[in-house]
């Protein structure tokens, strides 16, 4: 038991040290996830003159929660994995006694801790500019949000890592991720809360993994009506589906891999 824990600690320590070397880049990464804050202003104006189930304050708090959920669930593994396959850098990783995925996972987790100080600064700045939106979520909602965000990160990471497996067959696996991103933006609740969507669109969206990546944890945090049982079971179900697909593509991809850039 001590040996695996030692490996985990070593990986996290190494990648955390690597992440904090690029503080200015971290700030840019955090700011690049501020789209929900921009959209918040649009929807607050729309709520003032429209007929929505959410008022201006609800929109402000929702998009703040979306910003927070986005900061906790951002993933970029497909870009790194594609580069490793195309340039042959995956070869030395395959010789190591651990699955290469743990390097990427450790990098993502370490980056989360490294960006937290900047996220807290932006949170403070947000409430200074818009103090009427300040609220303290209930402890159950906060704990459920953290759990939902962690599961959403795991699912988002697995989805993108599964798409990354296509790098064994094409040098542009990231093109598929960009196509996937279009659906993610509109159906995840990042552009607008699912409550403002037509019922037919909302029902279709709920049958996909997208709403559980952003809308589900954000709604929990702000106290919007949400089916907790369906949400958590859906995340687990989609995780198992993509995990099976990932392992199949990994085994098939290794048979084709030739270390092109090695």
């Amino acid at each position: 038991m001590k040996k695996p824990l030692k490996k985990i600690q070593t990986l996290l320590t190494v990648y955390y040290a690597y992440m904090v070397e690029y503080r200015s880049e971290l700030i840019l990464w955090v700011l690049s996830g501020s789209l929900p804050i921009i959209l918040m202003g649009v929807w607050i104006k729309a709520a003032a003159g429209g007929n929505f189930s959410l008022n201006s304050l609800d929109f402000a708090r929702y998009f703040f929660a979306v910003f927070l959920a986005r900061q906790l669930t951002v993933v970029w593994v497909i870009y790194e994995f594609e580069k490793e396959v195309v340039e042959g850098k995956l070869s030395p990783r395959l010789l190591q006694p651990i699955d290469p995925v743990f390097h990427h996972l450790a990098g993502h987790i370490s980056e989360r801790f490294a960006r937290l100080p900047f996220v807290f600064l932006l949170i403070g700045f947000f409430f200074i500019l818009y103090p009427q939106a300040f609220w303290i979520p209930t402890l159950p909602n906060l704990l459920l949000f953290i759990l939902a965000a962690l599961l959403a990160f795991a699912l988002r990471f697995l989805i993108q890592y599964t798409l990354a497996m296509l790098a064994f067959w094409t040098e542009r696996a990231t093109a598929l991720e960009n196509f996937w991103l279009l659906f993610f933006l509109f159906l995840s609740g990042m552009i607008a809360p699912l409550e403002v969507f037509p019922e037919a669109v909302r029902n279709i969206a709920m049958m996909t993994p997208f709403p559980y990546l952003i809308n589900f944890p954000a709604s929990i945090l702000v106290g919007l009506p949400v089916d907790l049982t369906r949400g958590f079971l859906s995340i687990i179900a989609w995780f198992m589906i993509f995990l099976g697909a990932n392992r199949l593509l990994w085994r098939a991809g290794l048979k084709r891999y030739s270390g092109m850039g090695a």
Side-chain angles (χ1 to χ4, degrees):
M1 187 64 183
K2 290 183 178 179
K3 198 171 183 179
L5 290 177
K6 185 64 175 178
K7 291 180 180 178
I8 294 172
Q9 181 183 359
T10 301
L11 278 175
L12 292 176
T13 302
V14 169
Y15 279 102
Y16 180 79
Y18 173 75
M19 290 297 171
V20 295
E21 285 183 4
Y22 302 95
R23 294 181 182 86
S24 58
E25 194 171 336
L26 271 175
I27 295 175
L28 293 176
W29 289 347
V30 173
L31 292 176
S32 67
S34 60
L35 175 62
I37 303 300
I38 299 172
L39 292 172
M40 177 192 69
V42 175
W43 281 103
I44 287 176
K45 289 292 184 182
N51 184 19
F52 298 104
S53 58
L54 304 179
N55 57 39
S56 298
L57 201 58
D58 291 330
F59 276 116
R61 291 174 177 173
Y62 172 80
F63 279 106
F64 165 77
V66 169
F67 166 77
L68 195 56
R70 176 64 176 152
Q71 294 297 327
L72 296 174
T73 59
V74 64
V75 174
W76 63 88
V77 62
I78 190 170
Y79 302 98
E80 292 185 343
F81 188 83
E82 179 186 82
K83 184 177 180 181
E84 288 181 354
V85 173
V86 172
E87 298 182 0
K89 295 180 179 179
L90 181 62
S91 301
R93 292 278 175 90
L94 295 175
L95 299 176
Q96 297 177 4
I98 59 173
D99 192 304
V101 68
F102 289 109
H103 285 279
H104 299 292
L105 190 58
H108 281 67
I109 295 174
S110 299
E111 191 270 350
R112 261 349 76 94
F113 286 104
R115 77 160 57 200
L116 277 179
F118 305 110
V119 173
F120 287 138
L121 283 175
L122 281 179
I123 290 174
F125 188 61
F126 169 79
F127 286 126
I128 289 174
L129 292 179
Y130 198 56
Q132 58 267 44
F134 180 79
W135 93 107
I136 299 177
T138 64
L139 182 59
N141 282 359
L142 181 60
L143 294 177
L144 286 172
F145 165 76
I146 293 173
L147 176 60
L150 291 175
L151 291 175
F153 164 71
L155 178 57
R156 179 75 177 109
F157 181 90
L158 183 59
I159 290 174
Q160 195 177 103
Y161 190 55
T162 302
L163 296 178
M165 294 295 108
L166 299 178
F168 288 119
W169 287 270
T170 174
E171 296 182 10
R172 290 293 178 266
T174 50
L176 184 58
E177 165 65 13
N178 293 333
F179 178 71
W180 175 277
L181 185 62
L182 294 175
F183 295 95
F184 172 76
L185 288 174
F186 286 98
L187 299 181
S188 68
M190 185 179 296
I191 298 295
L194 293 186
E195 284 77 10
V196 304
F197 284 20
E199 185 177 357
V201 177
R202 186 165 62 248
N203 291 336
I204 293 174
M206 296 303 292
M207 292 187 290
T208 70
F210 301 110
Y212 309 105
L213 301 175
I214 296 293
N215 185 83
F216 179 62
S219 297
I220 291 175
L221 185 62
V222 298
L224 294 178
V226 63
D227 189 336
L228 292 174
T229 302
R230 177 179 180 177
F232 284 113
L233 288 179
S234 295
I235 292 177
I236 294 172
W238 281 109
F239 186 90
M240 297 307 296
I241 290 172
F242 277 98
L243 180 61
N246 180 278
R247 293 298 86 188
L248 288 174
L249 290 172
W250 172 254
R251 294 190 187 97
L254 285 181
K255 295 177 181 178
R256 292 179 55 89
Y257 177 65
S258 60
M260 286 178 283

